[in-house]
Amino acid sequence: AFVAVGQAAGNIGRLLEMEGYAVLYVNTSEEDLETLEGVKFKYHIPGGEGCNKDRHKAKQLVVDDFDSIAAEIDAKAAGAGMLFVIFASGGGTGSGAGPMLADLLIDEGRAVGVITVIPAPEESVKTQINAYECFTELEAIGGTGACFIIDNARGERMRLNQEFVGAFTGFLGIPGRDRSVEGNIDRAEAMETLKAHGMAVAACSSGEGSAGLIQALSEGPSAPVEADRAVKYIAASLAGGARMEDLEKAFGTPVDNFRTASGGQSCCCISGLSYPRGRLEE
């Protein structure tokens, strides 16, 4: 299940809800929540009238209202084996409240992953500062699972969101979709992949062989993978002659890999990667 914090996260959450997943939209601004027409679950944090890119204000509002937010999550995402908190790193509400909410949920014993967005270089200096501070806090939270990072430098925002959600849900669908006598990826293995701390990337490709999938992982909406080749898991449903050995050669040898065969497109998730330090330093 997913908790979309802030306006930018709402755009990603809406796409996930269209795919059938439970999404709770949380915001300090009632006006922003009102733009999310047709979604099921919204929650306005009391006392909030928007944060105007003030991360500290957003964090305090979450701390003050956490019990109510947690109760909303329990009611709207009952039975979820893992929660993903979605937020843009450069704003106010999401940038401040997102890492704080993830940290508080982890303290309650929940499995929590992150989906966040890095601003494009041409966005304001304040946005860049917020993003850097946000990731400094995020990296200090040791208990997070996979952190998927959409990089707005890689194209038009809505298109990047759609590409990411297509790849992410494509990976999530592997246990129920792809079967092979050579081996399967069960739900527990998919969850283990998603619970690995560090950056993660996901991609799907209809191309022949390994090259198309490697290109999709390297040049898709996600922030660039660091060159240190640190990786914990590679989980992939492979089609058209794509090979796990080629993925390991391109991205590094994981602690473990999970694989199955697909009769359609190849889908892959790589987790336990280093955070994109080069991109953040820029």
Side-chain angles (χ1 to χ4, degrees):
F2 301 86
V3 183
V5 186
Q7 186 175 26
N11 296 324
I12 300 170
R14 193 198 296 267
L15 295 172
L16 289 160
E17 185 171 340
M18 290 170 63
E19 294 291 332
Y21 293 95
V23 182
L24 173 65
Y25 303 85
V26 176
N27 210 311
T28 59
S29 167
E30 288 188 282
E31 290 79 7
D32 287 349
L33 286 173
E34 287 172 1
T35 66
L36 295 167
E37 297 179 1
V39 302
K40 290 183 180 179
F41 307 129
K42 303 179 188 179
Y43 181 76
H44 175 245
I45 299 176
E49 298 177 355
C51 287
N52 194 31
K53 295 190 177 178
D54 186 338
R55 300 184 66 251
H56 301 290
K57 179 180 178 181
K59 285 192 282 187
Q60 189 59 53
L61 287 168
V62 167
V63 170
D64 291 344
D65 194 48
F66 176 69
D67 288 344
S68 296
I69 296 171
E72 282 292 310
I73 292 171
D74 285 338
K76 304 303 190 295
M82 188 171 184
L83 287 170
F84 275 89
V85 180
I86 312 171
F87 55 89
S89 66
T93 297
S95 177
M100 177 63 71
L101 181 57
D103 198 13
L104 291 170
L105 289 168
I106 290 166
D107 285 344
E108 284 203 335
R110 303 172 192 252
V112 178
V114 168
I115 298 169
T116 189
V117 181
I118 292 182
E122 63 269 17
E123 296 184 54
S124 72
V125 173
K126 178 64 173 176
T127 302
Q128 310 294 335
I129 292 169
N130 279 354
Y132 193 86
E133 290 180 350
C134 178
F135 270 91
T136 300
E137 293 173 6
L138 194 58
E139 288 182 88
I141 304 172
T144 54
C147 179
F148 293 91
I149 305 169
I150 301 170
D151 189 346
N152 278 348
R154 294 200 161 196
E156 194 275 324
R157 297 179 188 183
M158 295 303 180
R159 179 182 62 80
L160 293 174
N161 292 346
Q162 290 172 343
E163 287 182 6
F164 167 74
V165 170
F168 186 51
T169 57
F171 170 73
L172 292 177
I174 289 174
R177 182 185 67 236
D178 298 335
R179 296 283 188 273
S180 171
V181 294
E182 299 175 4
N184 295 305
I185 296 176
D186 60 31
R187 186 172 181 274
E189 291 167 335
M191 291 291 281
E192 186 173 350
T193 303
L194 293 175
K195 288 179 179 179
H197 179 68
M199 190 176 93
V201 295
C204 294
S205 172
S206 300
E208 288 294 317
S210 304
L213 183 57
I214 292 170
Q215 182 177 11
L217 288 161
S218 302
E219 302 176 10
S222 296
V225 176
E226 288 289 283
D228 60 9
R229 298 175 60 81
V231 53
K232 188 168 185 181
Y233 294 116
I234 300 178
S237 179
L238 302 172
R243 302 190 317 142
M244 180 64 71
E245 293 76 11
D246 295 330
L247 295 175
E248 293 186 359
K249 184 177 180 180
F251 297 102
T253 303
V255 174
D256 203 356
N257 67 54
F258 310 114
R259 72 179 87 184
T260 188
S262 169
Q265 62 179 354
S266 296
C267 285
C268 175
C269 178
I270 303 177
S271 66
L273 297 161
S274 299
Y275 278 87
R277 179 49 52 191
R279 178 71 177 88
L280 292 171
E281 289 297 338
E282 289 177 10

